[in-house]
Amino acid sequence: MSALQAAGLWTALLILLLVVLSIRVMLRRRGARISLGDGKAGELAAVSRGFGNAAEYTPLMIGALILLAQLGASPFEIHLLGGSFLAGRVIHPLGLDPNRARLARVIGMTLTWVPLVTAVAMLLIAVFALG
């Protein structure tokens, strides 16, 4: 598998995760009979933020993965970044659930930020090495 194919794989999985998180919001809205906002419903607010948080960070990682693949990152590097980021995005919403431990939120954000910051460093190195 090439680096670009690896980036495509993680992009597809991350988009799929966004769809799943969006469906969770829709189902909670339907169950709570709330069409807009969270109606001060704790569980709805939690799943909405889980989706919103993922929607804020995921496009950045998708762009970084594609650029890194095109700039010569190895498939292993792409898999490591994409896999750890996806794990973080899956774990993070569990920590937003008021009935669950908040440790998942910390682990999820760590597994989000570390790959993002690593991707930033790799992009800067690649850009200046090519320049």
Side-chain angles (χ1 to χ4, degrees), residues 24-37:
R24 288 181 67 210
V25 173
M26 185 234 2
L27 292 174
R28 286 277 164 65
R29 282 188 189 287
R30 183 177 292 167
R33 298 181 187 271
I34 298 170
S35 64
L36 188 60

Side-chain angles (χ1 to χ4, degrees), residues 19-127:
V19 170
V20 168
L21 292 173
S22 177
I23 289 170
R24 288 181 67 210
V25 173
M26 185 234 2
L27 292 174
R28 286 277 164 65
R29 282 188 189 287
R30 183 177 292 167
R33 298 181 187 271
I34 298 170
S35 64
L36 188 60
D38 60 28
K40 309 261 189 246
E43 286 188 20
L44 178 54
V47 296
S48 292
R49 272 318 304 148
F51 169 75
N53 192 274
E56 292 161 3
Y57 285 103
T58 299
L60 301 172
M61 182 51 96
I62 289 171
L65 291 173
I66 293 167
L67 285 170
L68 285 168
Q70 292 180 330
L71 290 170
S74 72
F76 175 77
E77 292 168 323
I78 300 298
H79 285 303
L80 188 62
L81 292 171
S84 56
F85 183 85
L86 178 65
R89 296 293 77 217
V90 168
I91 294 168
H92 178 262
L94 301 175
L96 295 174
D97 186 331
N99 302 317
R100 296 204 178 154
R102 301 251 184 234
L103 179 60
R105 187 174 179 186
V106 172
I107 293 169
M109 285 313 300
T110 300
L111 288 171
T112 297
W113 289 336
V114 169
L116 276 172
V117 171
T118 302
V120 167
M122 291 172 67
L123 284 166
L124 289 172
I125 290 167
V127 166

